[in-house]
Amino acid sequence: MTRAVRATVVVALLAVVAACSAIPTGGPVRQVREDEGFEQSTALYAPAPPSRGATPQQVVAGYLDAMLAFPPSTGVAERYLTEDAARRWNPAAGTQVYRDPSVAELRTGTTSARVRLSTQRVLRLGPSGRVADGSGTASWDLALQQVDGEWRISEPPPGLLVSDKFYTDYYRAFQVYFFDPTGSRLVASAVHLPAGEQLATALVASLARGPSDPGAQQRTYLPGLGDLRPAVPVDRDGVAEVDLGTSAADLSPIDQGRLSAQLVWTLRQVSDVKGVRVGAGTTTLTPTGGAVQSMGSWSRYGPREQSEPYVVVDGRRREAAELDGRRLRDLPDAWDVDPDETADLVVGPERLATLSRDRARLLVRRTSGTDRVEVAVDRLVSAWWTTDDTLVVVDRPGAGPRVRVVEPQATRVLPLGGLAGLDVTSFAISPDGARYAVTTAGVDGRVRVGAVRRSGDDALVGLGPSRALPWQVGRPSSVGFVDGVRLAFFGDTELGRQVFEGLVVGTSLEGGAAGGAPILPDVAPRTLVVEGERRWAVDRRDRLWYLGPDSTWTRLGITRVASRSPGACPAPAPRRRRPQARDEGADPGVERSTLAAWTPGSPRPTSPSGPRAPGVGGSRSTCVPGAVRRCGPTRDSSPAHRCPS
């Protein structure tokens, strides 16, 4: 294969992974229009080829410069290598992000030379774009040879080398979707890829490489990278053409649907893509009945959605309700929640749990009020519903935590696994049920993440080892999942405790008192609730603060907040209409109330009365396998996926 042809193929695959400490000035730079979308970065860069008469050190420096091409391309970088080295070099083997590079000449002879490249390695990405261990000092001794009177590198480092500034400017975090072991739920995995017009190709290539999340229980229905057509073009109608090779046609119709779900959910992140056509050689897969699969299809495999918190109001009369934005909604009568006996409530797919006023007992029952089970708790940390109607209860009866699962048939104690020996202060499970996160107390308190362990029949059997994330944030607390791969939590800053957000792989930490994030007043917040792009915080005076999309923190007229814990989607049920009152002493959009306890809820139940939740009313909900409903409007047009009413 000639270098020109090989470079074309590598460019298509290179987006999976991608030296100086800044973007070089030795080539043409063109600004990209601001309206070209999220996946477009700020500038295009075409590096310069080797100059005549360059020294070995200059050749190595030019090679580093060539790997900063954007859009990603290896054509110029290969011109710094000998022909044999260019054939052997695999830029898709991974990406190493560095800072503070230095190039030192070790030896120069008549026909050969050796140069040492030293860097401070910031981050290492595997072939799929997933973060791998590898920070610290890194150096390579590079051999060079004379080729037609010019120095060329004969032993290049494996993969790509990019500067930390290039990584910050051009790489973004994305999600690729695999399945849980049963094939019933999509599970997200975080990858870091260069943004730009090759994003669709990058995402599909990363997906085709298969699961690479250490310790996670994931599976894929894609045949693999070997049969994948190198490029994923997007036509003028926004249809992405994915050719997986002939082996995909041999899958059962159900597995073709799962394969399609992985592709559709992964490519939803590309704004230009409006539909996906999946090819298997000369065959087009049509699991939805049409050649083009819409970006709203396969919602039934998606992760659980969350909604507003549930609350116990201790105002003129004590009552339980749902906090719907800035107003309260009554709970369905069938839930049989007695506010006078309830400190908190947690709503699940078909069941709910209420915490007694003395905080010593959880009463678990169906949303119809039947099949009641009582569970004793001691210093409750969290009660969390999973997607399969299992309640995970974490408390601290002694020196350490205890983890139990409450199922309709029995209550089981789980091995502590990754929580053994930890002083756990908060606990959360991801919406897809694949991961857990905790914060720990003490001077060395950390945010830790691990995998949720399940048996072959999808029963929750334990928590995998936990890994401390490398964030240096003081006293982290109140952790929650923004989505399947992103966390939010409180931590100390010079402006008081603020909200931080970052990926479960330990990268992309944002927030705090820097980066332009909304600043919460210095009110010593103790509890954080996350729902999509919205945030609620409870401060030291038990007041409630709210942060909506593209807004600032606002204090709501709700006080005496005691606790919270999230749930899943309950069945629709009729509610009573409540009179609307206003609190003259706080945000005028908030109903007058004093909050004794609350929990971030599960997806909203559809109600014929009361304030309408955004997107609910006239829209249907869809069922996730395992009887979990995803509330709100969906883009899945298949009537077979309606939730029973």
Side-chain angles (χ1 to χ4, degrees):
M1 183 182 295
T2 66
R3 284 195 182 190
V5 173
R6 181 178 183 275
T8 301
V9 174
V10 169
V11 165
L13 293 177
L14 181 58
V16 183
V17 289
C20 309
S21 59
I23 294 179
T25 58
V29 176
R30 179 174 69 83
Q31 289 298 122
V32 177
R33 299 193 320 272
E34 291 183 358
D35 61 355
E36 286 184 297
F38 165 76
E39 64 272 9
Q40 296 291 347
S41 191
T42 56
L44 305 183
Y45 176 68
S51 59
R52 295 181 61 84
T55 66
Q57 290 170 285
Q58 290 171 334
V59 168
V60 172
Y63 177 64
L64 290 181
D65 181 87
M67 285 185 279
L68 305 182
F70 189 84
S73 170
T74 59
V76 174
E78 288 187 6
R79 296 176 64 178
Y80 286 88
L81 308 179
T82 65
E83 187 169 343
D84 179 63
R87 282 195 300 267
R88 290 184 286 105
W89 180 50
N90 179 16
T95 300
Q96 302 195 56
V97 183
Y98 65 85
R99 58 179 172 82
D100 302 330
S102 65
V103 179
E105 183 177 332
L106 298 180
R107 176 181 57 81
T108 300
T110 305
T111 60
S112 64
R114 188 165 289 273
V115 170
R116 175 165 295 169
L117 170 63
S118 301
T119 69
Q120 185 66 31
R121 185 161 52 199
V122 177
L123 185 68
R124 185 168 64 89
L125 304 177
S128 66
R130 179 173 171 79
V131 174
D133 294 334
S135 61
T137 302
S139 64
W140 300 269
D141 289 352
L142 308 183
L144 292 87
Q145 295 179 359
Q146 282 276 319
V147 178
D148 297 330
E150 302 291 343
W151 290 108
R152 295 294 181 264
I153 301 170
S154 59
E155 297 178 8
L160 290 175
L161 305 175
V162 301
S163 69
D164 56 347
K165 186 177 189 308
F166 182 88
Y167 173 83
T168 300
D169 287 345
Y170 292 99
Y171 278 66
R172 300 290 184 270
F174 298 97
Q175 298 182 37
V176 292
Y177 286 88
F178 303 102
F179 268 92
D180 73 304
T182 67
S184 61
R185 294 184 300 275
L186 286 167
V187 177
S189 184
V191 296
H192 294 71
L193 304 172
E197 59 191 23
Q198 298 175 19
L199 179 58
T201 296
L203 288 167
V204 173
S206 178
L207 185 64
R209 290 183 179 274
S212 59
D213 191 345
Q217 293 177 297
Q218 299 175 349
R219 65 178 298 184
T220 184
Y221 291 88
L222 270 70
L225 190 63
D227 294 333
L228 178 68
R229 185 174 65 181
V232 177
V234 180
D235 66 21
R236 64 180 60 187
D237 295 323
V239 177
E241 303 278 353
V242 182
D243 190 346
L244 299 174
T246 57
S247 60
D250 298 331
L251 296 173
S252 69
I254 292 178
D255 287 349
Q256 288 182 14
R258 291 176 172 133
L259 175 154
S260 299
Q262 289 184 248
L263 290 169
V264 166
W265 274 80
T266 297
L267 289 174
R268 283 181 176 184
Q269 299 164 99
V270 186
S271 61
D272 292 339
V273 174
K274 311 303 180 186
V276 181
R277 183 182 289 110
V278 184
T282 59
T283 302
T284 298
L285 305 187
T286 58
T288 58
V292 177
Q293 303 180 48
S294 74
M295 303 314 290
S297 58
W298 308 112
S299 294
R300 67 182 182 271
Y301 289 130
R304 182 187 71 197
E305 293 178 347
Q306 292 177 317
S307 73
E308 289 83 7
Y310 289 90
V311 302
V312 176
V313 180
D314 194 9
R316 284 172 292 184
R317 65 185 180 94
R318 187 177 177 90
E319 57 183 319
E322 179 187 14
L323 179 62
D324 180 13
R326 299 176 181 273
R327 289 181 281 183
L328 298 179
R329 292 160 50 104
D330 285 298
L331 301 181
D333 292 334
W335 289 10
D336 191 25
V337 176
D338 183 356
D340 292 328
E341 300 297 329
T342 302
D344 198 359
L345 71 158
V346 194
V347 183
E350 299 290 346
R351 300 189 295 159
L352 73 153
T354 53
L355 181 65
S356 62
R357 289 286 294 275
D358 61 5
R359 312 188 71 82
R361 292 169 290 111
L362 277 172
L363 180 60
V364 185
R365 72 272 199 184
R366 295 191 179 278
T367 51
S368 62
T370 61
D371 297 337
R372 300 186 172 219
V373 177
E374 190 172 291
V375 180
V377 294
D378 187 352
R379 293 189 296 163
L380 181 67
V381 174
S382 176
W384 204 282
W385 287 104
T386 67
T387 55
D388 55 355
D389 208 29
T390 297
L391 182 66
V392 180
V393 178
V394 180
D395 62 355
R396 294 182 294 179
R402 173 177 59 180
V403 182
R404 290 171 290 174
V405 293
V406 183
E407 298 168 319
Q409 301 81 11
T411 298
R412 298 181 287 113
V413 177
L414 295 185
L416 284 178
L419 302 189
L422 300 179
D423 187 359
V424 175
T425 59
S426 66
F427 173 90
I429 293 179
S430 60
D432 53 25
R435 300 178 179 87
Y436 71 91
V438 299
T439 56
T440 58
V443 178
D444 297 325
R446 304 290 290 273
V447 179
R448 305 180 70 94
V449 297
V452 173
R453 298 294 191 194
R454 295 181 178 273
S455 64
D457 59 357
D458 205 29
L460 199 158
V461 295
L463 303 175
S466 65
R467 179 174 63 93
L469 300 181
W471 300 326
Q472 301 300 315
V473 177
R475 297 190 304 144
S477 67
S478 198
V479 68
F481 280 87
V482 179
D483 54 35
V485 299
R486 185 172 292 275
L487 301 169
F489 60 96
F490 281 134
D492 287 342
T493 75
E494 62 271 23
L495 298 179
R497 293 184 66 73
Q498 300 293 331
V499 177
F500 290 83
E501 295 187 16
L503 295 177
V504 294
V505 293
T507 61
S508 304
L509 184 66
E510 300 174 347
I519 298 298
L520 180 65
D522 189 6
V523 293
R526 58 181 177 81
T527 305
L528 174 68
V529 176
V530 176
E531 186 274 309
E533 296 301 316
R534 299 182 294 178
R535 310 285 182 266
W536 289 267
V538 181
D539 68 17
R540 65 178 171 230
R541 295 170 59 185
D542 298 333
R543 300 174 301 181
L544 184 62
W545 296 76
Y546 172 70
L547 175 67
D550 302 319
S551 67
T552 58
W553 285 98
T554 302
R555 183 173 68 84
L556 305 183
I558 299 177
T559 59
R560 295 185 61 192
V561 180
S563 63
R564 63 87 182 151
S565 52
C569 182
R575 304 163 184 262
R576 301 181 302 274
R577 186 184 299 274
R578 67 167 59 243
Q580 296 301 313
R582 299 296 181 189
D583 184 347
E584 294 82 2
D587 189 313
V590 183
E591 180 182 352
R592 177 191 299 273
S593 58
T594 301
L595 192 62
W598 75 325
T599 130
S602 57
R604 310 172 185 89
T606 313
S607 172
S609 63
R612 176 177 295 180
V616 178
S619 301
R620 60 181 174 81
S621 300
T622 59
C623 295
V624 176
V628 179
R629 294 175 175 82
R630 301 179 66 246
C631 295
T634 72
R635 303 165 71 181
D636 191 339
S637 59
S638 172
H641 304 149
R642 292 182 185 270
C643 289
S645 54

